Amino acid sequence: MQRIEGEASQEVKNSHEAVDNSSAVSRTRVANQAQDNVQPFGASRYSDFLSNVSNFKIIESTLREGEQFANAFFDTETKIRIAKALDNFGVDCIELTSPAASEQSRKDCEAICKLGLRCKVITHIRCHMDDARIAVETGVDGVDVVMGTSKFLREYSHGKDMTYITKAAVEVISFVKSKGIEIRFSTEDSFRSDLVDLLSIYQVVDKVGVNRVGIADTVGVANPRQVYDLVRTLRGVVGCDIECHFHNDTGCAIANAYTALEAGATHIDTSVLGIGERNGIPSLGGFIARMYAANREYVMSKYNLKALRDVEDLVADAVQVQIPFNNPVTGYCAFTHKAGIHAKAILAEPKTYEIITPEDFGMNRYVHIGSRLTGWNAVKSRSKQLGLELTDDQVKAATNRIKVMADIKDQTMEDVDAVLHVFHRAIKNGQDVGHDSTFNRLFQQHIEARGTDAIAEEEAEAQAAK
């Protein structure tokens, strides 16, 4: 009897615990829904307690990593323009080519340090005392030191063992710190280095007082799972900040950068349009787009998003490349909607098919309605923009006509407008525009009249110019 009562008591206890747990889950769901209402673009709210997704810094390396891009040659004037544009965007640091690389590199470094930028100006050097002495004399706010630790680089690059690397790192760090300058030490080719070697040297430099340690996926071999594991492990070993540098050889650079922040990294290296050695590193715009989707308010409060297009245009022109059609945010297809079902939803509520609000970046969405995929809701919206009064049935008839024409080739917005004007005028005049012969005749008349008007306008402009 006592055993049965005990079991019943335990069942009641378990029942109460289940109710409590259910209530807790419900409260969590309500809280998450409330947060989602505030941030409709937000990522999952179940984030790692070490996550810095909402508290990160950008080290913008266009003027260092970007100089290694195949097409890049930045003269002093161009470097200054890029530095000012990045500062206007609001990056936390700009990283410059080592002043030990060449005499002009040293002069450029000094010139940029004298601009009085709001962001920090840092430079990237080898783990060598000669480089360090030159760097600290340029006026930089910080020095980024790097040395290869993988077996490939130790054997085929500098030929030094871990004992030498550790000793050299301590010497350079101590010297730079004695000058009152910020210092970071990074291993190169970190993901092909021995984990014990990595953690050992990071612990040593952390104790010496380095401001940041760096992880570099120099060959782009890492995947997000490997990144999370390494950064999370390192976060438990050092107390300083953690910077991450990812190459995009296998297309994981931005995903790896985001994952690194989730695991506790504090700084991410980027470059404008992702330019750099080989396939480059996380693009500034792509990385910002990813972080915007995670925490729109934080990103908008910290960075001048409407300046992104200007800095990308500046760098694209400097290295003689076109901004890719699918470039995050600024690519010409980024906010273009073509499918009819998409267009209908976008016109009713942009969030249905846009995770990024184009207006936040000074961009505009474009609903492409000159294709065979177009829907009548999009055509109706355009007719209203033109001030044409058409019923839904009339808009549907015009849409079908556009689709017929688009089966031959995509129609421009001017072509679509012509169809709508023809339909509106014909209906107003009581003409049956549903017949092919009638439509074709009226459409041809409209095109000819439009051409005559265009010629008249050109002649008037020429006459006015005289």
Side-chain angles (χ1 to χ4, degrees):
M1 183 67 176
Q2 290 177 346
R3 182 176 63 83
I4 293 174
E5 287 177 348
E7 290 175 350
S9 176
Q10 184 62 42
E11 288 178 2
V12 171
K13 182 179 179 181
N14 291 340
S15 177
H16 284 309
E17 289 178 350
V19 171
D20 290 341
N21 289 336
S22 177
S23 298
V25 170
S26 297
R27 288 194 298 272
T28 300
R29 285 175 179 165
V30 170
N32 288 334
Q33 287 171 357
Q35 286 178 312
D36 284 341
N37 287 334
V38 173
Q39 169 53 292
F41 308 117
S44 171
R45 297 305 177 204
Y46 300 99
S47 60
D48 196 300
F49 74 98
L50 291 173
S51 174
N52 283 314
V53 166
S54 298
N55 184 30
F56 60 87
K57 289 184 171 64
I58 292 176
I59 295 181
E60 226 301 319
S61 191
T62 300
L63 296 177
R64 197 281 296 179
E65 176 72 45
E67 276 212 287
Q68 297 170 209
F69 176 60
N71 283 10
F73 174 79
F74 302 139
D75 59 23
T76 304
E77 180 183 355
T78 301
K79 287 183 181 181
I80 289 174
R81 290 173 62 201
I82 292 173
K84 288 181 176 178
L86 290 171
D87 190 49
N88 180 49
F89 180 81
V91 299
D92 302 273
C93 307
I94 56 173
E95 184 181 56
L96 309 179
T97 294
S98 171
S102 72
E103 179 61 16
Q104 190 59 52
S105 296
R106 182 187 64 78
K107 291 179 179 178
D108 291 345
C109 188
E110 291 176 346
I112 292 173
C113 287
K114 294 175 182 177
L115 293 176
L117 304 178
R118 291 168 298 175
C119 64
K120 291 182 178 180
V121 178
I122 59 182
T123 189
H124 186 275
I125 67 169
R126 299 170 299 178
C127 190
H128 195 287
M129 281 299 294
D130 290 344
D131 287 17
R133 291 189 185 97
I134 295 171
V136 300
E137 293 175 357
T138 60
V140 292
D141 300 303
V143 175
D144 288 352
V145 179
V146 65
M147 194 159 189
T149 50
S150 70
K151 64 179 181 180
F152 298 100
L153 298 185
R154 295 206 314 265
E155 182 175 351
Y156 298 109
S157 180
H158 54 69
K160 309 298 183 183
D161 60 20
M162 287 305 300
T163 300
Y164 177 92
I165 295 171
T166 303
K167 182 179 178 181
V170 170
E171 183 182 19
V172 171
I173 292 167
S174 299
F175 170 73
V176 174
K177 280 177 59 67
S178 72
K179 302 297 182 180
I181 295 175
E182 182 179 295
I183 180 74
R184 177 217 73 186
F185 175 81
S186 177
T187 61
E188 187 182 12
D189 203 10
S190 307
F191 288 89
R192 294 194 298 175
S193 299
D194 181 81
L195 180 60
V196 173
D197 289 341
L198 287 180
L199 298 182
S200 296
I201 195 167
Y202 286 139
Q203 281 184 309
V204 169
V205 298
D206 186 38
K207 289 178 181 178
V208 174
V210 75
N211 296 92
R212 296 188 308 281
V213 291
I215 292 173
D217 183 20
T218 307
V219 296
V221 68
N223 63 50
R225 180 62 178 269
Q226 292 170 322
V227 169
Y228 186 91
D229 288 346
L230 180 54
V231 174
R232 184 64 183 271
T233 299
L234 181 56
R235 182 72 284 170
V237 170
V238 300
C240 61
D241 286 341
I242 300 174
E243 176 185 339
C244 290
H245 181 92
F246 297 107
H247 275 262
N248 202 39
D249 299 75
T250 59
C252 288
I254 291 174
N256 285 342
Y258 184 82
T259 303
L261 292 176
E262 286 189 310
T266 56
H267 294 65
I268 297 296
D269 293 3
T270 69
S271 70
V272 177
L273 298 178
I275 63 172
E277 189 80 19
R278 304 183 313 281
N279 286 346
I281 63 174
S283 68
L284 174 63
F287 176 70
I288 284 292
R290 174 58 263 174
M291 304 317 299
Y292 172 102
N295 192 327
R296 175 174 175 263
E297 285 75 18
Y298 175 75
V299 171
M300 289 191 66
S301 68
K302 188 174 181 184
Y303 301 106
N304 179 12
L305 302 186
K306 292 181 180 179
L308 177 62
R309 179 163 53 179
D310 289 341
V311 72
E312 288 191 344
D313 286 343
L314 174 60
V315 173
D317 182 62
V319 298
Q320 300 180 333
V321 299
Q322 296 292 321
I323 293 177
F325 72 92
N326 60 346
N327 199 52
V329 180
T330 59
Y332 79 86
C333 289
F335 300 110
T336 296
H337 304 276
K338 188 172 182 179
I341 191 170
H342 285 215
K344 177 184 178 181
I346 279 289
L347 293 168
E349 172 51 73
K351 295 184 183 68
T352 50
Y353 286 103
E354 286 179 352
I355 199 65
I356 294 171
T357 302
E359 293 83 0
D360 288 345
F361 290 83
M363 305 294 289
N364 297 306
R365 72 178 53 82
Y366 172 67
V367 179
H368 180 64
I369 60 175
S371 82
R372 63 180 65 165
L373 305 178
T374 196
W376 74 272
N377 287 280
V379 176
K380 180 179 180 180
S381 176
R382 181 58 181 169
S383 69
K384 287 182 177 180
Q385 290 175 357
L386 296 172
L388 306 179
E389 295 181 4
L390 295 171
T391 67
D392 287 354
D393 286 341
Q394 291 165 352
V395 170
K396 289 176 182 178
T399 302
N400 288 335
R401 179 63 62 179
I402 292 168
K403 284 175 173 284
V404 168
M405 297 168 69
D407 267 339
I408 300 172
K409 70 177 183 68
D410 264 10
Q411 304 296 293
T412 66
M413 186 63 79
E414 193 175 31
D415 295 332
V416 171
D417 290 351
V419 172
L420 291 173
H421 280 296
V422 167
F423 263 75
H424 181 261
R425 188 179 300 112
I427 291 167
K428 187 176 180 180
N429 295 332
Q431 297 170 296
D432 186 2
V433 78
H435 286 93
D436 289 347
S437 59
T438 302
F439 172 81
N440 290 336
R441 175 174 55 81
L442 294 175
F443 188 78
Q444 186 60 37
Q445 290 174 356
H446 178 87
I447 296 300
E448 290 173 356
R450 188 173 66 185
T452 301
D453 291 343
I455 293 172
E457 287 177 7
E458 290 177 3
E459 289 177 347
E461 289 176 359
Q463 188 65 31
K466 293 180 180 178

